[in-house]
């Protein structure tokens, strides 16, 4: 069998479909343009003048008709969102308590094209969908052909790594946009969250793994032993890899950066959550789903706390005062890990299924801004009023990324952890034989490749991914709870 085999064929087919059919069939476009979401159109200048008693500038056959057709109003909304340099735009003021009503319209892709980060949003969602299909197909083939994990290189790992990379890149772009803004408070918030999460990560990483089961210590010890043996066989004088404290310091820095990236997505999710509760206050089922969606990470982080769940379920530790023969575990260790994967995947599916409810709550913010403006005194210019409405829609793609990027990052980190749990390339005789008997590799290179292959054990990578999955749930929960508390205090004041 070839080195990649069936997985290579699936990957090539999926990459071809992604390239050829993405302009015509796009999951990212369908999420925003399937009539589930409704946007608000700002009032035109003629409508505002009519409301304040001035004569409309419309003349001739346009007199008595609607100031602008729907398509024209959409273009005006987009122009108002991004700003316009047209000198012919006349600015006038209207009272803040003006009785203006916003028209609604469905979303079309032509309205999304000028939006901030729309291209990144569409690419990330479409690529993630293809990667999810690859993972499902590989699992189906592995169910009927279990030897696929030992006879082929698991390309699902490559797809998952790419999705994680794209999600991190998008989060970095969002954080950079806030960092480049004129508001210094946003920079201070990023730095504050980064320093806070660095301290929290350092505190978590020094906890004994009998309490938090990540597998980092065991994985790094195995890696250190194998790396020392590899260096000795290559004739290199070395004391081995970096000490454990340096390894955990690096993880703490990475955790702080990731926590800083999740600060504003967490705040955005908190705002969407509170708004969704307000709009769905009469629908009990939706209220329950929204609360579960918000609180689920609080329970998921306990899946790694050994004394709370893993110990009682796997070792039957609640039978300590009974005879040992009655201490039967509820789950095996492998069964507990599978339960953890299932719960994490169900949480990701729930969060993805509520994407329309949260995004519609974000779009409804335009209406809330106008209603809040009506309660104020004074006057406002027509341009400022129109931008209040139009800018909400202009940043729809960014808001969708703030909701979806952390979810996809968590989802594919879980899939990566699941795939690593099924991998053990040290016990892969077929893969080793390809290196051992290849005529294109010299003897010294062949021996070094086999020794290096023994160093890169899945235990270390599985420990790192297990910690990162737990950290994603924890940091996103902390930023979201902080956002809810902050918004509640701000609303009360």
């Amino acid at each position: 069998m070839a080195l990649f085999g069936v997985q290579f064929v699936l990957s090539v087919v999926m990459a071809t479909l992604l390239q050829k059919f993405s302009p015509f069939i796009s999951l990212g476009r369908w999420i925003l343009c399937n009539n589930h979401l409704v946007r608000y159109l700002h009032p035109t200048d003629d409508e505002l003048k009519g409301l304040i008693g001035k004569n409309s500038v419309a003349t001739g056959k346009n007199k008595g008709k609607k100031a602008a057709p729907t398509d024209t109003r959409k273009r005006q909304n987009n122009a108002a969102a991004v700003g316009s340099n047209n000198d012919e735009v006349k600015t006038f003021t209207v009272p803040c308590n003006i009785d203006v009503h916003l028209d609604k319209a469905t979303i079309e892709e032509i309205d999304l094209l000028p939006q901030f980060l729309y291209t990144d949003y569409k690419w990330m969602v479409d690529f993630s969908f293809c990667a999810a299909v690859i993972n499902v197909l590989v699992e189906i083939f592995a169910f009927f052909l279990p030897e696929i994990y030992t006879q082929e290189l698991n390309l699902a790992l490559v797809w998952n790594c790419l999705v994680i990379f794209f999600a991190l890149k998008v989060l970095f772009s969002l954080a950079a946009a806030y960092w480049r803004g004129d508001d210094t408070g946003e920079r201070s918030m990023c730095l504050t969250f980064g320093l806070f999460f660095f301290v929290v990560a350092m505190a978590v990483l020094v906890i004994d793994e009998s309490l938090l089961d990540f597998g980092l210590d065991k994985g790094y010890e195995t890696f250190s032993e194998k790396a020392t043996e590899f260096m000795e066989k290559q004739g290199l004088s070395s004391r081995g890899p970096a000490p454990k404290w340096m390894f955990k310091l690096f993880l703490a820095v990475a955790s702080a950066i990731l926590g800083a990236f999740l600060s504003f997505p967490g705040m955005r999710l908190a705002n969407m959550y509170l708004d969704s509760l307000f709009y769905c206050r009469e629908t009990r089922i939706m209220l329950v789903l929204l609360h579960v969606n918000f609180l689920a990470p609080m329970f998921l982080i306990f899946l790694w706390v050994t004394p709370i769940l893993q110990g009682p379920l796997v070792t039957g530790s609640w039978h300590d005062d009974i005879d040992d023969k009655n201490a039967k575990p509820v789950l095996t260790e492998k069964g507990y890990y599978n339960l953890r994967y299932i719960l994490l995947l169900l949480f990701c599916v729930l969060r993805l299924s509520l994407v329309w409810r949260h995004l519609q709550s974000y779009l409804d913010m335009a209406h809330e801004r106008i209603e809040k403006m009506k309660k104020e005194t004074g006057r406002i210019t027509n341009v400022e009023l129109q931008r209040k409405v139009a800018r909400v829609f202009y940043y729809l793609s960014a808001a969708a990324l703030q909701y979806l990027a952390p979810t996809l990052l968590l989802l594919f980190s879980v899939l990566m952890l699941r795939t690593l749990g099924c991998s053990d390339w040290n016990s892969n005789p077929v893969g080793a034989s390809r290196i051992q008997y290849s005529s294109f590799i010299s003897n010294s290179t062949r021996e070094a490749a086999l020794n290096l292959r023994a160093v890169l054990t899945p235990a270390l990578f599985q420990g790192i991914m297990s910690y990162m999955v737990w950290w994603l749930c924890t940091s996103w929960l902390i930023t979201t709870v902080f956002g809810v508390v902050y918004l509640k205090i701000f609303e009360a004041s």
Side-chain angles (χ1 to χ4, degrees):
M1 187 178 288
L3 178 61
F4 299 108
V6 176
Q7 297 182 70
F8 180 73
V9 175
L10 293 175
S11 297
V12 171
V13 171
M14 195 58 61
T16 304
L17 293 176
L18 179 64
Q19 180 184 9
K20 299 296 183 182
F21 292 97
S22 179
F24 310 102
I25 303 175
S26 170
L27 178 63
R29 181 176 62 242
W30 179 78
I31 290 176
L32 299 182
C33 304
N34 65 344
N35 297 329
H36 277 83
L37 300 177
V38 176
R39 57 174 293 199
Y40 289 87
L41 302 176
H42 68 69
T44 63
D45 292 344
D46 289 349
E47 291 174 341
L48 291 175
K49 289 180 180 180
L51 290 173
I52 62 176
K54 293 185 177 181
N55 294 326
S56 175
V57 297
T59 58
K61 63 180 180 180
N62 293 329
K63 192 173 183 179
K65 295 185 178 181
K66 197 169 183 178
T70 304
D71 294 340
T72 305
R73 293 192 63 185
K74 287 184 178 182
R75 289 194 294 270
Q76 291 175 349
N77 272 265
N78 294 334
V82 300
S84 176
N85 296 325
N86 190 358
D87 296 333
E88 297 180 359
V89 176
K90 296 181 180 180
T91 302
F92 57 91
T93 61
V94 297
C96 291
N97 59 354
I98 186 173
D99 187 19
V100 60
H101 299 280
L102 303 180
D103 294 333
K104 298 180 181 180
T106 56
I107 299 175
E108 300 176 3
E109 188 178 19
I110 192 173
D111 305 323
L112 299 172
L113 293 177
Q115 285 192 358
F116 177 61
L117 293 179
Y118 173 69
T119 304
D120 293 344
Y121 157 80
K122 184 179 176 182
W123 167 255
M124 192 192 71
V125 173
D126 293 345
F127 189 88
S128 299
F129 175 74
C130 294
V133 173
I134 288 292
N135 278 272
V136 172
L137 293 178
V138 169
E139 289 292 331
I140 293 175
F141 277 101
F143 179 78
F144 295 101
L145 300 172
E147 63 274 9
I148 194 174
Y149 286 124
T150 57
Q151 292 184 352
E152 298 180 10
L153 177 64
N154 197 333
L155 286 180
L157 286 172
V158 179
W159 284 84
N160 295 339
C161 284
L162 289 174
V163 175
I164 291 173
F165 170 76
F166 291 139
L168 291 175
K169 178 180 177 296
V170 165
L171 291 175
F172 172 77
S173 299
L174 291 169
Y178 283 107
W179 189 269
R180 291 191 300 264
D182 297 332
D183 189 358
T184 57
E186 296 173 346
R187 303 177 192 174
S188 300
M189 184 173 291
C190 283
L191 291 175
T192 302
F193 270 112
L195 293 174
F196 170 76
F197 281 123
F198 177 75
V199 175
V200 174
M202 289 295 294
V204 169
L205 290 172
V206 298
I207 296 177
D208 189 83
E209 292 210 342
S210 60
L211 299 177
L212 285 174
D213 179 30
F214 299 132
L216 286 172
D217 292 342
K218 180 180 178 181
Y220 193 74
E221 289 173 1
T222 304
F223 169 75
S224 299
E225 294 175 0
K226 298 293 184 180
T228 303
E229 294 177 2
F230 172 76
M231 292 179 182
E232 291 177 353
K233 290 182 179 180
Q234 300 302 315
L236 302 175
S237 58
S238 175
R239 297 180 180 179
K244 188 186 298 184
W245 68 266
M246 188 174 294
F247 166 67
K248 291 194 173 182
L249 178 63
F250 173 78
L251 280 181
V253 173
S255 302
I257 296 174
L258 182 58
F261 287 171
L262 291 175
S263 57
F264 288 105
M267 295 283 289
R268 177 67 67 190
L269 177 60
N271 197 357
M272 291 178 177
Y273 167 68
L274 294 176
D275 291 342
S276 299
L277 291 179
F278 174 77
Y279 292 116
C280 301
R281 57 188 180 276
E282 297 180 357
T283 309
R284 293 185 178 181
I285 297 178
M286 184 59 68
L287 284 177
V288 172
L289 292 177
L290 290 172
H291 288 308
V292 172
N293 181 56
F294 178 77
L295 297 174
M298 184 182 301
F299 300 97
L300 291 176
I301 60 179
F302 289 111
L303 294 174
W304 280 265
V305 182
T306 305
I308 295 180
L309 287 177
Q310 186 171 358
L313 292 177
V314 176
T315 64
S317 58
W318 61 75
H319 293 290
D320 290 342
D321 56 338
I322 307 178
D323 190 72
D324 291 337
K325 63 183 180 181
N326 295 325
K328 296 181 180 179
V330 178
L331 294 172
T332 63
E333 186 174 357
K334 183 178 180 180
Y336 181 79
Y337 291 155
N338 290 332
L339 174 64
R340 181 191 291 172
Y341 300 143
I342 292 173
L343 292 178
L344 288 166
L345 291 176
L346 289 177
F347 165 68
C348 293
V349 171
L350 173 63
R351 185 148 288 190
L352 291 174
S353 64
L354 294 176
V355 60
W356 290 303
R357 176 62 266 171
H358 287 83
L359 291 181
Q360 186 58 55
S361 298
Y362 168 78
L363 290 172
D364 291 339
M365 190 167 58
H367 179 264
E368 293 300 321
R369 286 183 176 183
I370 297 300
E371 293 300 319
K372 184 178 179 181
M373 183 196 69
K374 291 180 181 180
K375 300 177 182 179
E376 299 175 356
T377 59
R379 302 182 69 85
I380 186 174
T381 65
N382 60 323
V383 177
E384 291 177 354
L385 188 150
Q386 292 167 352
R387 287 181 179 176
K388 275 181 177 289
V389 179
R391 282 184 173 176
V392 173
F393 175 69
Y394 177 70
Y395 289 102
L396 174 62
S397 298
L401 283 175
Q402 288 179 322
Y403 185 89
L404 290 174
T407 307
L408 294 176
L409 180 60
L410 176 61
L411 172 61
F412 284 91
S413 297
V414 174
L415 294 177
M416 174 77 77
L417 182 60
R418 170 72 175 84
T419 306
L420 288 171
C422 298
S423 302
D424 188 5
W425 46 74
N426 287 327
S427 61
N428 182 358
V430 179
S433 63
R434 292 193 185 100
I435 300 176
Q436 187 173 358
Y437 298 108
S438 176
S439 59
F440 299 99
I441 303 176
S442 63
N443 293 332
S444 58
T445 304
R446 181 184 298 112
E447 184 178 357
L450 291 173
N451 292 332
L452 182 61
R453 189 171 182 273
V455 173
L456 301 176
T457 58
L460 176 63
F461 302 105
Q462 192 172 2
I464 294 174
M465 291 308 303
S466 179
Y467 167 75
M468 294 310 296
V469 168
W470 181 88
W471 182 255
L472 280 170
C473 295
T474 304
S475 56
W476 205 9
L477 174 65
I478 291 174
T479 55
T480 308
V481 171
F482 173 81
V484 170
V485 174
Y486 173 80
L487 292 172
K488 284 293 186 180
I489 294 175
F490 179 76
E491 181 181 347
S493 60

